[in-house]
Amino acid sequence: MLLFSTGLLLVLLIVVLLFNTLRLPNHQLAPEAAAQKPDLDPVVTVEHLAGALRIPSVSHTDYAQTDTVPFGQLLTYYRQTFPLVHERLRREVVNDFGLLYEWPGSDPSLKPLLLLAHQDVVPVLEGTEKNWTRPPFAGLVADGFLYGRGALDDKLNVIGQLEAVEYLLRTNYQPRRTVLLAFGHDEETHGKLGAAALADLLGRRYQQRPALEMVLDEGGLIKTDGVAGLAQPVALVGVSEKGYLSLELTAQGAGGHSSMPPALTSVGRVAAAVAKLEANPFPARLDGGVSALLAYLAPAVPFGRRIIFANQWLFGFLIKKSLVATPSGNAALRTTTAPTIIRGGEKDNVLPASASATVNFRLLPGDSVEAVIARVKKLIDDPEIKVSILGDGRSASPVSQTDNAAFTHLHKTIKSVFPQALVAPYVVVGATDARSYAHLAPQATYRFMPLLMAQTDIDRLHGTNERIGTVAYQDVIRFYVQLLRTDL
């Protein structure tokens, strides 16, 4: 009887697994038509981007250290390179270098579409200049690639969007819906002068909520390798981005001579606290974004893996075990804990009176700043450790929908330019300017860059030999033309 019951349960389980697998919905949409290639000279468009790369608009966390001259040069360059944009669109400057362009639509009752990009770039790491195939601010083409800081992050989107609008203006196209372009100038250093100020301006101007139909920023891309074991490219569309929190752990000690140390020094106390946090990471969760990603990809994977993706209630532990094995997979699954700075004494034979450590957390949707702090204090369990917030902590951005008109429009546009790609939502583990605008379109703020990239290309972001394929850049422009030319 027991054997019969066990067998029956096993059969029922198999039936449930197969039922869930076979009824999986296919979320992939077909494009209404292949996107037309705009009549643009690729040599000219690449040179337009190259010209922007030659202007070293580097931003520094301490804004006083930022050379602002290049940012003024960029503004002049845009005006010279895209005359129709500056003749027919309303242009506003915020905090000297932040830009907002408004292209009025024919139907003022429709909520605007907002495209974002940022003008600043990170510095080239001192001592690595010699490792660049071409100088980082020379804007030179070699072997089919345009090299330069900002080629991937993020001047390709600034210039690509302006190029698309300039082209559409040349063809006398007018959108039904008002189109806004917002270009911040300090995204790499938290975006307070750029995106935050521009978003505040838009919030005051468009006071209904949601104020915007859709917001699109950088953040996602079309990854050509390594997503769920698929050989097919996957267009990763960020529907949220992780939150950010840095905590300082501080311990006070008596100080004194190192020849007579106490049982636990200030350095030892802080080190023990950090060790506890690293030994007890936040729980891995599929509901923070991975579950939706796998649901979109499940119909395309081999049947055995499809059964696992379709039955996460049973096989979730296997999925987690596989993902946590890599830093990127681990980051997608949990709020991450990263000790980044530790400070103590200054002399090897003197006990410091105090020691501190900085720990950075990237918060998965569902984890709040308050909950993270409470967990940190509980894990450390040491009243002699003071826990303080550094700067401004923030929870993850709202998770935008994938069943609305905005995502459908974005999905179909991607397919029209990159028909071979699968489209899937995911949570961006880094930070973008989009977070400043998310309250204006909390259900329709997306992060996506229309560029095919393998992992080796992704590694060039903020790194050595940042570059973009000259042919690939034409698809960037084509994407923005298609996005604007088809109605949302």
Side-chain angles (χ1 to χ4, degrees):
M1 185 65 181
L2 179 61
L3 185 61
F4 175 78
S5 298
T6 303
L8 181 60
L9 289 174
L10 182 58
V11 170
L12 288 174
L13 177 60
I14 293 173
V15 170
V16 170
L17 295 179
L18 290 175
F19 177 76
N20 289 341
T21 303
L22 295 174
R23 72 183 183 93
L24 269 177
N26 188 344
H27 295 285
Q28 301 303 311
L29 303 177
E32 294 176 354
Q36 297 178 356
K37 293 184 178 180
D39 184 20
L40 292 168
D41 185 336
V43 175
V44 173
T45 56
V46 168
E47 178 54 33
H48 286 168
L49 176 57
L53 300 187
R54 295 181 191 120
I55 301 174
S57 52
V58 176
S59 64
H60 295 275
T61 303
D62 180 358
Y63 193 72
Q65 296 180 8
T66 298
D67 180 4
T68 60
V69 172
F71 291 91
Q73 294 172 339
L74 271 179
L75 268 59
T76 301
Y77 181 76
Y78 301 148
R79 188 181 292 277
Q80 294 172 342
T81 308
F82 305 106
L84 290 180
V85 169
H86 291 81
E87 176 185 327
R88 301 186 192 177
L89 270 62
R90 178 184 179 187
R91 172 181 174 270
E92 295 174 82
V93 180
V94 175
N95 286 336
D96 298 323
F97 307 111
L99 292 175
L100 177 64
Y101 294 90
E102 181 181 359
W103 188 6
S106 60
D107 187 348
S109 68
L110 298 176
K111 295 176 182 178
L113 161 68
L114 172 63
L115 300 182
L116 304 177
H118 65 87
Q119 308 170 72
D120 61 319
V121 300
V122 296
V124 174
L125 192 62
E126 188 175 353
T128 65
E129 294 90 347
K130 62 182 181 299
N131 299 325
W132 283 69
T133 300
R134 295 293 184 275
F137 294 107
L140 296 178
V141 174
D143 301 321
F145 292 94
L146 172 61
Y147 286 81
R149 179 62 87 223
L152 296 176
D153 187 13
D154 180 39
K155 288 182 179 177
L156 83 160
N157 288 312
V158 174
I159 304 302
Q161 291 172 19
L162 289 172
E163 197 80 69
V165 174
E166 183 82 5
Y167 168 77
L168 290 171
L169 289 169
R170 197 179 305 130
T171 63
N172 294 316
Y173 175 80
Q174 184 187 15
R176 286 184 62 237
R177 183 183 308 279
T178 293
V179 174
L180 304 170
L181 309 177
F183 303 145
H185 58 287
D186 61 344
E187 189 273 348
E188 300 292 1
T189 56
H190 305 302
K192 292 183 178 179
L193 294 174
L198 288 163
D200 181 65
L201 172 62
L202 289 175
R204 286 183 277 111
R205 181 166 298 164
Y206 300 97
Q207 295 188 2
Q208 58 181 327
R209 293 293 180 269
L212 306 174
E213 188 67 20
M214 183 173 79
V215 176
L216 181 62
D217 195 9
E218 60 165 346
L221 47 81
I222 307 173
K223 197 166 188 299
T224 59
D225 59 350
V227 179
L230 290 166
Q232 194 170 353
V234 177
L236 297 166
V237 179
V239 293
S240 177
E241 62 185 69
K242 295 179 82 173
Y244 187 99
L245 174 65
S246 284
L247 298 178
E248 185 176 61
L249 316 179
T250 307
Q252 301 295 328
H257 202 283
S258 65
S259 62
M260 295 179 289
L264 187 59
T265 65
S266 59
V267 170
R269 192 179 291 276
V270 167
V274 170
K276 288 179 182 177
L277 295 181
E278 285 201 309
N280 296 276
F282 281 76
R285 295 192 288 111
L286 295 177
D287 63 356
V290 171
S291 181
L293 170 67
L294 298 182
Y296 267 72
L297 299 181
V301 302
F303 191 75
R305 196 178 305 152
R306 197 181 314 163
I307 291 176
I308 294 175
F309 287 4
N311 294 278
Q312 296 177 30
W313 61 274
L314 180 62
F315 297 114
F317 73 99
L318 287 176
I319 297 170
K320 293 175 187 177
K321 184 177 179 180
S322 174
L323 287 175
V324 297
T326 65
S328 59
N330 183 61
L333 279 175
R334 59 163 49 99
T335 291
T336 52
T337 304
T340 53
I341 302 171
I342 194 159
R343 298 186 181 91
E346 298 179 1
K347 202 169 186 299
D348 63 343
N349 65 346
V350 178
L351 298 173
S354 66
S356 66
T358 298
V359 185
N360 181 250
F361 302 86
R362 301 301 177 101
L363 282 61
L364 203 64
D367 288 340
S368 67
V369 169
E370 295 75 18
V372 170
I373 295 173
R375 187 176 189 273
V376 166
K377 291 180 177 179
K378 183 177 180 180
L379 283 174
I380 292 173
D381 191 25
D382 185 347
E384 299 302 317
I385 293 285
K386 180 183 178 183
V387 179
S388 307
I389 298 180
L390 294 177
D392 299 322
R394 62 175 184 273
S395 298
S397 300
V399 179
S400 292
Q401 295 178 349
T402 57
D403 59 354
N404 56 10
F407 189 83
T408 298
H409 179 60
L410 179 57
H411 189 153
K412 288 185 176 181
T413 302
I414 294 170
K415 287 283 196 177
S416 72
V417 181
F418 306 96
Q420 75 277 32
L422 297 169
V423 175
Y426 89 120
V427 175
V428 178
V429 298
T432 73
D433 274 342
R435 69 182 183 277
S436 294
Y437 301 86
H439 66 290
L440 301 176
Q443 302 301 322
T445 296
Y446 305 106
R447 301 148 184 89
F448 175 73
M449 181 166 65
L451 196 63
L452 291 158
M453 296 179 71
Q455 187 59 49
T456 52
D457 303 312
I458 296 171
D459 292 341
R460 297 175 188 270
L461 285 160
H462 287 198
T464 299
N465 286 322
E466 185 177 346
R467 69 185 190 182
I468 185 172
T470 56
V471 174
Y473 179 56
Q474 306 311 308
D475 281 336
V476 173
I477 302 169
R478 183 181 170 206
F479 169 84
Y480 286 121
V481 168
Q482 181 73 1
L483 185 76
L484 296 175
R485 187 162 48 189
T486 51
D487 191 35
L488 167 58

